Amino acid sequence: MSDNPDSGDHNDRLLPDSNKPTEKSMGEKVSTVFRNVLQTRTDNIKDWFMNYGIKSSVGVLCWLFGSMGMSVLWIFIGTSATASAFSVLYSIEKFHKKRKITEMFKTVTEDKSKLVEAVKQLHMENSSSLPSWIYYPDVEKVEWINRIIRQLWPSIQGYVKDILSEQVGPSIRSSSGLLGGFKFTDMDLGNIPPQLVGVKVYDEHQTRSDEIVLDMQLVYASQCNIGVSVNYLNAGLCDLDFRALMRVEMSPLLSKSPFIGAVAVSFVHDPKIDFNLTNLANMFDIPGFDSLLRGAIRDSVRGIMVYPEKYVLKLVPDVDISYLKFPLPDGVLRVHVIKAKHLMAKDTKLFGPNKSDPYVIVQVGRNFKHRTAVVAEDVNPEWNETFDVIIEDIWHSTINISLYDEDILNTDDSLGTASLAVRSVYQRGVVEEWINLTQVKKGSILMKFEWFELAHEASNLDKAIKIAEHKENTNSSLLSIYVDKACHLPEKIKDCLSSNVQLKITVPCRKDPFKTKLTEFSNPIWEERFLSPIQNPKIDQIKFEVIEVLMDEIESDSYSGKTLGTLSFSISELLELEGMCIDKDFPLDNATPKTTLNMRLCLRVLKLKEKQGPQFDGSEIMNKPPTPSATTQPSPTTSPVPEAEKPTPESDEYEHLSINNNAHQRSPSIASIASVMSDGAVSRMQPNERKPADNGKGRVMLTIRHHQDQLLVLIVKAESLIICDEDNSTSDPYVKVTVIGQNLSKKTKVVKKSLNPSFDQRLSFQLSIMDVRKSRLKVSVKNHTGFLSSEKVRMGTIFINLANIPDLTLPNTRWFSLE
């Protein structure tokens, strides 16, 4: 016998215990899942029968027999017969359910891969909710990360405060003269940390071989308290609500610790930012000041981290992260504005028919806008204008087309709008269609779109030049200029150490030269990238000029500075190099022998993508242009647009390590695949607009999307509903959704005794995208009442034309006022 009394127990724990249950087989696990679901369903039916079925039956029979003057015996007989009927119906339903479960069990036992689909089908039939990872397996739960974030949140707060002070603050001050004195006076980010509600990791075939890409759904709803000050006027920012789809790129991958060279973080779309302002009486009650501050904050975040802008964190000092920070664009979109017909006549004439003076504005993303010439007095105008647009992100870019009637004295009248996703062109190569204009009674425009891929073979150049020669303002290739730094600049000014240095880049067919930011003479590092379309690389040249600017000259908009060195580079030299790229220190003329400019130049030939893919569907035209979310580089041929027309705001081993020149362009698959937002994330998303006016019956928040041949309607919540109960204090609301024209309807659960119910329930309808575009939704909020109750049932109704929703492939969340 052992002297240690605990040794026996310890040894027993190491031995197999015959009394402990062994691990269940797949069949037993499936059987357990189905039994649990069946038991839950059975319990629900029993509860309903006990609470409503028997009581209702007895009440109805008593009332009927009593009103006819029958005896108590007849009441007893009728009650017994009704109970027997309910029992028979319940037995039949139970038999069919059990039989169906048995068949599903057999199917899953034979093929284990069908487990998830079987469970999903069972839950959908029972109108119950499942987590997003069941419906969208590529979006994963990451609760373990949220637990880590909660513990790290006190430490992370200091890092976030530094970003707000050092980057967001200066960006807000530079956004408007009225906000020149803006600063953060106090920062308390609260105790509630951000949460990741889902993470998607892209597969190897969707990314380059030297990177890992993740999309994270970030939600931050905090009771923070941030103090702000503008010119000695103070206010408070609280109840911050921040929601975004965040992309994390890890590249390059190394064979030595820490195995990742750098991490780049960006937001795929403009984040949804909402907050409340306190102490507003002294400053923000001024009309327009509140929206000015909100717009400045949104623009600051957009300029720092919304794609293609990225926040890059180096993990290894000597790794070249320029490819990660500045990847080549996805391609070039060639837009042809051809003609229009049957436009509205906005100008009234005393003699002769009414006319319009139409012109077109084409906007792609936030930064690119092209305005065509005005065709005078013609409702069937022809423009025949062509221009190129550099596309940074295929999936999230949108083409917005707006037609206007030019008026000399009054505001230009709208002649209609239309929108088209860039991915629709990319999938087909070439799209030429008459597009019906919306928000007007009549009118259509003939547009042609061509997608050009970026090829790194010089053999494609002759064909590209020949194609570009046929159209004005078109190009044969695209040049990427990455400027790193300058070294050993000559000291031409006595106090040069207090001066600034700038690089000017003059490219062909561009009116104004590119200019880098101003840097200190002692450390001239720029790390900037410029994209320029090139008409003929065989004959075109680029000129570089490094200039020195004194501090007192910066205030002048027309400063010229003193030249510190120049360089002329013939683009044809790139045609002889492998991959048409060069990365080196270029010696400068008119400088010292040691003066160099470190740059990387990459040339890509525009190769027309062959026409392919499905036939263009008119339902892909969006009726309302969405807020652009992807940034594109302006073309040098773009016509100037007046300031008033610009869009308003609402992206040893490590030494000399770099990425292969031919591999730094992201594969088309990653650029054309969007992360699927989970229901958990969508249900907590804020609506894209302010709450509409209340018509006296309250509001309801809905999220609508189409995914995998299903129309999904998420009933989020309602508020300010009317009182319907007899006690004149509350209601028992539920929502019924009907697809008009398809004879389909479903309803949510009942929320007891609430005028501000939260449903968070998804209703799905099996419909193709074509059927959805032709349908309307009838959404009715009703009050649940008892049998023969005199309480009000109908609380409010709305009708939604699904054809008016811009892009049903993405979740569309907003408030609707009940009528």
Side-chain angles (χ1 to χ4, degrees):
M1 182 177 295
S2 174
D3 296 334
N4 187 353
D6 295 334
S7 62
D9 295 339
H10 175 72
N11 293 333
D12 290 343
R13 286 195 294 267
L14 297 179
L15 297 175
D17 188 353
S18 60
N19 296 326
K20 294 182 179 180
T22 58
E23 184 179 357
K24 294 183 179 180
S25 64
M26 175 58 71
E28 292 173 334
K29 292 180 180 179
V30 173
S31 178
T32 302
V33 170
F34 287 150
R35 280 200 301 270
N36 292 339
V37 174
L38 180 61
Q39 184 63 41
T40 301
R41 183 63 173 172
T42 303
D43 292 342
N44 291 338
I45 294 175
K46 288 181 179 178
D47 292 341
W48 180 90
F49 179 74
M50 295 300 297
N51 292 331
Y52 300 102
I54 296 178
K55 296 177 181 179
S56 300
S57 302
V58 173
V60 171
L61 289 173
C62 291
W63 181 79
L64 288 175
F65 293 154
S67 63
M68 292 184 292
M70 294 186 179
S71 65
V72 179
L73 179 60
W74 283 108
I75 296 177
F76 175 76
I77 295 174
T79 304
S80 301
T82 304
S84 301
F86 271 105
S87 178
V88 171
L89 292 175
Y90 173 72
S91 300
I92 294 174
E93 182 181 3
K94 184 178 179 180
F95 171 77
H96 286 297
K97 283 284 183 182
K98 187 175 181 180
R99 182 177 179 182
K100 190 169 186 178
I101 294 296
T102 303
E103 293 176 355
M104 294 173 65
F105 171 74
K106 290 180 179 179
T107 303
V108 174
T109 303
E110 296 170 358
D111 187 356
K112 298 178 182 179
S113 63
K114 296 183 180 179
L115 172 62
V116 172
E117 288 299 324
V119 175
K120 183 193 305 184
Q121 180 183 352
L122 190 62
H123 275 262
M124 290 180 63
E125 290 176 356
N126 294 335
S127 301
S128 58
S129 300
L130 278 176
S132 60
W133 52 269
I134 286 289
Y135 291 104
Y136 311 116
D138 58 345
V139 179
E140 302 176 9
K141 297 191 304 180
V142 285
E143 284 303 316
W144 62 275
I145 295 183
N146 290 326
R147 287 194 288 271
I148 295 175
I149 293 175
R150 277 196 293 271
Q151 297 186 45
L152 287 176
W153 182 234
S155 303
I156 296 175
Q157 285 197 50
Y159 184 70
V160 175
K161 291 176 182 178
D162 291 341
I163 293 178
L164 292 176
S165 300
E166 299 172 6
Q167 298 189 39
V168 177
S171 179
I172 294 176
R173 286 193 290 272
S174 62
S175 64
S176 173
L178 294 175
L179 299 175
F182 177 90
K183 64 179 180 179
F184 292 102
T185 59
D186 183 33
M187 290 190 220
D188 180 10
L189 300 181
N191 298 323
I192 303 176
Q195 282 193 328
L196 298 178
V197 297
V199 172
K200 174 177 179 176
V201 182
Y202 287 95
D203 297 332
E204 296 85 349
H205 68 277
Q206 297 173 340
T207 62
R208 300 189 302 259
S209 60
D210 60 345
E211 72 175 355
I212 299 173
V213 181
L214 303 85
D215 280 356
M216 301 182 176
Q217 301 154 16
L218 179 66
V219 176
Y220 179 41
S222 172
Q223 297 176 346
C224 67
N225 190 1
I226 300 175
V228 297
S229 174
V230 180
N231 300 328
Y232 304 104
L233 300 176
N234 299 320
L237 187 152
C238 62
D239 298 331
L240 176 65
D241 199 321
F242 184 93
R243 300 163 191 273
L245 181 60
M246 184 172 67
R247 176 160 294 173
V248 179
E249 300 170 85
M250 305 177 189
S251 178
L253 304 183
L254 310 175
S255 58
K256 183 178 179 180
S257 177
F259 307 111
I260 296 173
V263 177
V265 180
S266 61
F267 296 122
V268 177
H269 306 282
D270 286 346
K272 292 190 169 41
I273 305 174
D274 195 13
F275 52 84
N276 292 324
L277 294 170
T278 59
N279 302 329
L280 305 184
N282 55 2
M283 175 176 59
F284 291 98
D285 282 342
I286 301 174
F289 212 105
D290 176 77
S291 60
L292 178 66
L293 177 61
R294 293 176 185 272
I297 292 176
R298 284 192 295 265
D299 287 346
S300 300
V301 176
R302 176 188 300 164
I304 296 173
M305 287 186 63
V306 175
Y307 190 86
E309 303 296 333
K310 302 176 182 179
Y311 184 81
V312 180
L313 179 64
K314 269 190 177 184
L315 302 182
V316 178
D318 296 329
V319 167
D320 182 6
I321 63 170
S322 60
Y323 292 106
L324 177 62
K325 193 172 183 179
F326 303 110
L328 281 182
D330 290 334
V332 172
L333 177 69
R334 183 159 296 169
V335 182
H336 304 260
V337 184
I338 303 175
K339 59 184 177 179
K341 63 182 179 181
H342 308 316
L343 298 180
M344 298 286 292
K346 294 291 186 177
D347 297 336
T348 304
K349 304 290 184 180
L350 294 177
F351 303 100
N354 297 335
K355 297 286 186 178
S356 288
D357 303 319
Y359 65 91
V360 183
I361 291 180
V362 178
Q363 181 176 343
V364 185
R366 290 191 306 268
N367 295 340
F368 180 90
K369 181 183 280 190
H370 177 91
R371 173 173 171 165
T372 67
V374 177
V375 180
E377 298 186 354
D378 196 344
V379 293
N380 298 291
E382 293 189 14
W383 293 281
N384 292 313
E385 294 190 19
T386 304
F387 50 91
D388 291 341
V389 187
I390 301 172
I391 302 298
E392 300 274 7
D393 190 345
I394 294 173
W395 182 263
H396 301 105
S397 299
T398 304
I399 308 164
N400 297 323
I401 306 166
S402 303
L403 277 73
Y404 293 94
D405 167 43
E406 185 182 53
D407 289 328
I408 303 300
L409 301 178
N410 300 319
T411 305
D412 293 353
D413 298 319
S414 175
L415 296 177
T417 62
S419 295
L420 175 67
V422 171
R423 64 177 178 271
S424 297
V425 181
Y426 166 76
Q427 292 167 352
R428 295 167 175 82
V430 179
V431 172
E432 183 173 2
E433 289 288 331
W434 279 99
I435 300 175
N436 293 327
L437 301 173
T438 61
Q439 303 180 9
V440 289
K441 294 182 179 179
K442 62 177 183 177
S444 57
I445 183 171
L446 178 59
M447 301 287 295
K448 182 180 179 180
F449 305 99
E450 297 174 298
W451 180 260
F452 286 84
E453 299 172 326
L454 303 182
H456 59 270
E457 300 90 2
S459 58
N460 298 297
L461 182 59
D462 291 335
K463 184 177 181 181
I465 294 176
K466 187 175 181 180
I467 294 176
E469 288 176 347
H470 290 83
K471 289 289 183 180
E472 188 180 358
N473 297 332
T474 59
N475 305 278
S476 65
S477 53
L478 178 68
L479 180 65
S480 172
I481 306 170
Y482 173 71
V483 183
D484 187 13
K485 61 182 178 180
C487 299
H488 306 294
L489 294 176
E491 299 179 4
K492 293 191 175 183
I493 301 178
K494 185 176 181 180
D495 55 348
C496 62
L497 294 179
S498 62
S499 62
N500 290 273
V501 179
Q502 187 179 58
L503 177 65
K504 294 172 61 176
I505 307 173
T506 304
V507 297
C509 302
R510 182 179 172 87
K511 182 179 179 181
D512 300 319
F514 291 118
K515 293 182 180 181
T516 65
K517 61 187 177 184
L518 291 168
T519 62
E520 296 180 357
F521 180 91
S522 59
N523 189 29
I525 298 176
W526 292 289
E527 294 183 344
E528 294 185 54
R529 195 270 304 271
F530 304 95
L531 296 171
S532 176
I534 302 296
Q535 288 187 338
N536 192 341
K538 294 183 177 181
I539 59 176
D540 290 340
Q541 282 193 337
I542 316 172
K543 295 182 179 180
F544 301 89
E545 182 183 8
V546 181
I547 61 174
E548 184 177 16
V549 184
L550 292 175
M551 294 296 293
D552 54 359
E553 294 179 346
I554 296 177
E555 303 297 331
S556 174
D557 294 334
S558 59
Y559 65 85
S560 57
K562 296 185 180 299
T563 301
L564 301 179
T566 59
L567 170 66
S568 294
F569 181 82
S570 177
I571 304 177
S572 60
E573 295 182 25
L574 296 174
L575 300 175
E576 308 298 328
L577 301 176
E578 182 180 359
M580 295 193 294
C581 284
I582 185 172
D583 188 348
K584 71 173 189 176
D585 291 325
F586 293 84
L588 296 182
D589 299 327
N590 304 318
T592 67
K594 293 184 178 181
T595 304
T596 59
L597 182 63
N598 183 265
M599 296 188 302
R600 181 175 65 250
L601 306 177
C602 289
L603 184 68
R604 290 294 179 265
V605 179
L606 304 189
K607 181 181 179 182
L608 180 63
K609 185 177 181 180
E610 296 182 1
K611 193 170 184 179
Q612 61 182 31
Q615 186 176 359
F616 184 78
D617 185 358
S619 64
E620 297 180 57
I621 300 296
M622 306 174 191
N623 292 49
K624 201 183 297 180
T627 302
S629 59
T631 302
T632 53
Q633 184 75 13
S635 167
T637 61
T638 302
S639 303
V641 179
E643 188 70 25
E645 296 175 359
K646 291 184 179 180
T648 54
E650 288 275 79
S651 129
D652 78 61
E653 181 184 1
Y654 303 127
E655 208 167 357
H656 309 300
L657 182 60
S658 62
I659 302 173
N660 185 282
N661 286 334
N662 296 334
H664 69 271
Q665 183 177 5
R666 186 178 301 287
S667 62
S669 57
I670 187 69
S672 60
I673 297 176
S675 294
V676 180
M677 297 290 287
S678 70
D679 285 348
V682 174
S683 64
R684 289 182 288 271
M685 290 290 285
Q686 290 293 323
N688 296 331
E689 56 187 45
R690 295 283 180 183
K691 295 178 182 179
D694 190 352
N695 297 325
K697 294 190 175 182
R699 295 176 284 261
V700 61
M701 183 193 286
L702 306 175
T703 296
I704 304 173
R705 73 171 301 186
H706 187 269
H707 181 67
Q708 295 182 349
D709 284 335
Q710 284 192 352
L711 174 64
L712 308 177
V713 182
L714 180 66
I715 316 298
V716 183
K717 59 183 176 180
E719 65 176 29
S720 303
L721 300 181
I722 61 175
I723 297 174
C724 297
D725 285 357
E726 291 178 343
D727 57 7
N728 204 28
S729 63
T730 185
S731 299
D732 301 329
Y734 68 94
V735 179
K736 180 179 181 181
V737 178
T738 303
V739 184
I740 300 178
Q742 302 294 333
N743 196 26
L744 298 172
S745 64
K746 291 186 178 182
K747 59 185 180 180
T748 67
K749 62 187 178 184
V750 178
V751 178
K752 292 287 188 178
K753 300 185 183 304
S754 177
L755 299 179
N756 300 285
S758 178
F759 297 98
D760 280 331
Q761 186 170 345
R762 193 184 75 168
L763 308 179
S764 58
F765 304 90
Q766 197 74 27
L767 290 171
S768 66
I769 186 62
M770 292 297 294
D771 292 334
V772 169
R773 286 292 182 187
K774 300 174 184 177
S775 304
R776 288 198 309 157
L777 285 185
K778 178 183 178 182
V779 181
S780 303
V781 181
K782 297 185 176 183
N783 178 45
H784 180 73
T785 62
F787 189 71
L788 299 178
S789 173
S790 60
E791 294 176 352
K792 183 180 178 65
V793 176
R794 184 178 176 275
M795 304 177 72
T797 304
I798 54 174
F799 292 89
I800 304 172
N801 190 348
L802 297 177
N804 291 335
I805 298 179
D807 189 355
L808 278 169
T809 61
L810 300 176
N812 296 269
T813 304
R814 58 166 291 190
W815 286 95
F816 295 88
S817 292
L818 297 173
E819 301 287 345

